[in-house]
Amino acid sequence: MSSKVFSLKGRALKLDTAADLDKHIRPLKDSTDVEEIHIEGNTIGVAASIALADILATKHTLQYANLADIFTGRLLAEIPQALDALLTALLKCPKLHTINLNDNAFGLNTVEPLRPFLSQHTPLQHLYLNNNGLGPSAGTLVAEALAQLAEKKAQARKDGAENVPDLETVVCGRNRLETGSMAAWVKAYTANSNVKTVKMVQNGIRQEGIAMLLQHGLSACSQLQVLDLQDNTFTTLAARTLANTLPKWAELRDLGVGDCLLGARGGVVVGDALARGGNKKLEVLRLQYNEIDTRGLKAVTDAATTTASALPRLRRVEVNGNRFSEEDPSIERLQEHLSKRKEASHASEYPGVDEDDEDAWGVDELDELEDDEDDEEDEAEEEADEIDEEGEKIVHDADTAEGESVAQEKDKEVDELADALGKTELK
């Protein structure tokens, strides 16, 4: 192992005391140039965390810290003190740009130690907070801390600090963020508008919250390259918002909106938006399990094939689990088009993409399609049409607020919108 990488990854160690830790930590103590630490997959108590923190605070070359899944089996009362010790120490690491805290059950009761680190650590570029049981209240606190971080970064630059990076990656999925925290996340993303990767999958966000997040928050992120919102709820309303926002993401390479109930009309409007040519760098499009029918499939296929210059780099489309036949002419046309693109491409055109990886090219395996070509409307579309008039007006206003820096300049208006959404959200 390189002296620059220290790892106890996946050893299932139960470290309760400083003595327990000391048996394994000597290489880290002795290292003067460590850049990465991997502690994930062990369980660390308060005393061991404090001992580890004392060591981490001296590692000024540290750039990457993986602290995922380190509190399994720990009492709820233990986690805040242990986490506070570790994060306070990491605040003293001036080169630490990436932290992974996935799979730690923080929740509202233990989220408090996160806030000082997330709001003050100006070197932070990449944040991984997946499967932490945050819920909407703790999710709001995290988002507010990230908005404060942007202010802290700006002040550091103003004070003459060099090499203060932008926050580039936010992974915050499987956290039940729900619609209730979206006003705070709008402010977080407008404040950190140079973010490049956003993954917020499986958060129970309803269509009103998604529309708000897209139109008032992520629309400000012109450098966005990866957006993954899979397994939330769009319906046609938020699908239209997505369609209106797509042209603002000229750098977008990977769009994940699978299992989001886009619906038949939603599939069409997203396909039509892509055909306008505002996303020429898009390589991967994930649309599986969305109740998309043959019309939506045709719109997506037309964007990829008929309009030759609209999606010149598209290499992978995932559409399994929708409502059309595997023999649909659009599927055959899309498969043929992507196959030819793979054959004609050179490795240098897609750096980092394995030419032999079947999951990186073509259309996904279509083994769970529903052949409902004769249905004019599916039940999901009918449900979307029944959303109350007040909720539809709110989202319509969000969709048509073109050119306004709403979240940046009108925080009061965003707060009022959030209050209104809370009153109209479907239960």
Side-chain angles (χ1 to χ4, degrees):
M1 184 184 302
S2 167
S3 64
K4 295 185 178 182
V5 179
F6 173 79
S7 179
L8 297 176
K9 178 180 179 181
R11 292 176 58 178
L13 300 172
K14 189 173 189 292
L15 306 175
D16 295 320
T17 67
D20 293 335
L21 179 72
D22 196 56
K23 301 172 187 176
H24 308 280
I25 210 71
R26 177 60 59 185
L28 179 60
K29 279 185 177 180
D30 295 340
S31 175
T32 59
D33 61 353
V34 64
E35 295 180 357
E36 293 186 23
I37 60 165
H38 294 265
I39 312 295
E40 68 268 33
N42 300 285
T43 178
I44 308 178
V46 174
S49 294
I50 292 173
L52 177 58
D54 289 341
I55 298 169
L56 293 178
T58 67
K59 303 306 174 183
H60 301 304
T61 58
L62 187 63
Q63 299 179 26
Y64 177 97
N66 193 323
L67 304 179
D69 188 20
I70 60 170
F71 297 124
T72 297
R74 295 295 166 181
L75 297 175
L76 192 63
E78 291 183 89
I79 299 176
Q81 189 177 352
L83 184 63
D84 182 61
L86 293 170
L87 294 182
T88 299
L90 291 176
L91 276 173
K92 300 176 182 179
C93 300
K95 295 184 178 181
L96 181 72
H97 56 66
T98 301
I99 187 165
N100 186 332
L101 292 164
N102 291 348
D103 303 319
N104 289 306
F106 296 147
L108 183 58
N109 293 328
T110 57
V111 74
E112 192 61 31
L114 274 175
R115 298 174 69 186
F117 179 83
L118 294 182
S119 62
Q120 298 175 31
H121 190 65
T122 55
L124 186 63
Q125 286 180 274
H126 309 289
L127 172 64
Y128 296 86
L129 269 177
N130 206 61
N131 190 32
N132 297 109
L134 295 178
S137 296
T140 294
L141 296 178
V142 168
E144 289 174 348
L146 293 178
Q148 293 166 9
L149 176 65
E151 296 176 1
K152 191 80 171 180
K153 287 175 179 283
Q155 186 61 50
R157 296 183 187 110
K158 185 177 179 181
D159 293 342
E162 297 181 0
N163 302 319
V164 179
D166 293 315
L167 182 65
E168 294 185 7
T169 302
V170 177
V171 177
C172 193
R174 299 184 65 192
N175 272 308
R176 298 182 298 103
L177 297 178
E178 301 178 1
T179 296
S181 69
M182 287 303 101
W185 282 101
V186 162
K187 294 175 183 178
Y189 287 127
T190 51
N192 295 281
S193 59
N194 288 324
V195 68
K196 294 180 179 180
T197 296
V198 172
K199 296 185 178 183
M200 300 178 73
V201 305
Q202 199 178 347
N203 270 311
I205 310 170
R206 298 298 299 261
Q207 58 269 21
E208 301 95 338
I210 290 291
M212 183 183 189
L213 179 68
L214 292 172
Q215 180 61 38
H216 292 289
L218 292 174
S219 63
C221 303
S222 60
Q223 303 303 308
L224 194 63
Q225 296 179 9
V226 177
L227 177 61
D228 194 345
L229 295 174
Q230 295 183 91
D231 202 5
N232 291 290
T233 302
F234 275 56
T235 74
T236 306
L237 294 177
R240 288 178 180 141
T241 308
L242 175 63
N244 290 340
T245 310
L246 276 169
K248 300 180 181 181
W249 299 326
E251 300 298 317
L252 192 65
R253 288 163 169 75
D254 190 322
L255 175 62
V257 287
D259 202 12
C260 285
L261 198 61
L262 293 179
R265 281 193 290 268
V268 172
V269 297
V270 170
D272 288 347
L274 292 172
R276 298 188 188 112
N279 308 103
K280 294 184 183 298
K281 295 184 179 181
L282 188 67
E283 297 182 16
V284 179
L285 180 59
R286 308 178 197 276
L287 296 168
Q288 61 271 46
Y289 303 99
N290 263 313
E291 305 287 353
I292 295 172
D293 66 9
T294 186
R295 294 167 296 174
L297 175 64
K298 183 178 184 302
V300 171
T301 301
D302 286 347
T305 61
T306 305
T307 310
S309 60
L311 299 172
R313 293 185 57 79
L314 189 66
R315 56 180 169 80
R316 174 72 170 177
V317 179
E318 298 179 359
V319 288
N320 189 31
N322 285 297
R323 300 171 70 100
F324 47 77
S325 168
E326 190 172 354
E327 287 74 38
D328 190 294
S330 293
I331 277 291
E332 297 178 6
R333 186 156 52 100
L334 184 59
Q335 288 174 324
E336 181 180 359
H337 177 78
L338 295 179
S339 178
K340 288 181 179 179
R341 175 157 294 162
K342 180 181 180 182
E343 293 174 1
S345 68
H346 300 283
S348 60
E349 296 178 31
Y350 296 93
V353 179
D354 187 348
E355 291 185 350
D356 297 322
D357 183 0
E358 293 183 0
D359 292 335
W361 299 89
V363 177
D364 57 335
E365 185 176 354
L366 304 175
D367 56 352
E368 296 186 29
L369 293 175
E370 297 181 48
D371 189 356
D372 287 311
E373 293 182 355
D374 295 332
D375 289 352
E376 292 184 0
E377 300 291 341
D378 57 48
E379 294 179 1
E381 289 298 304
E382 292 173 357
E383 179 183 353
D385 290 340
E386 292 172 0
I387 294 175
D388 60 274
E389 292 182 2
E390 183 179 3
E392 186 161 0
K393 180 179 182 300
I394 291 168
V395 178
H396 174 73
D397 290 344
D399 287 346
T400 56
E402 297 293 339
E404 296 183 0
S405 300
V406 179
Q408 292 175 315
E409 301 174 6
K410 300 185 179 181
D411 284 351
K412 181 180 178 182
E413 183 176 336
V414 173
D415 292 337
E416 292 173 350
L417 177 60
D419 290 340
L421 291 178
K423 297 175 182 177
T424 61
E425 183 179 359
L426 295 177
K427 304 296 182 184

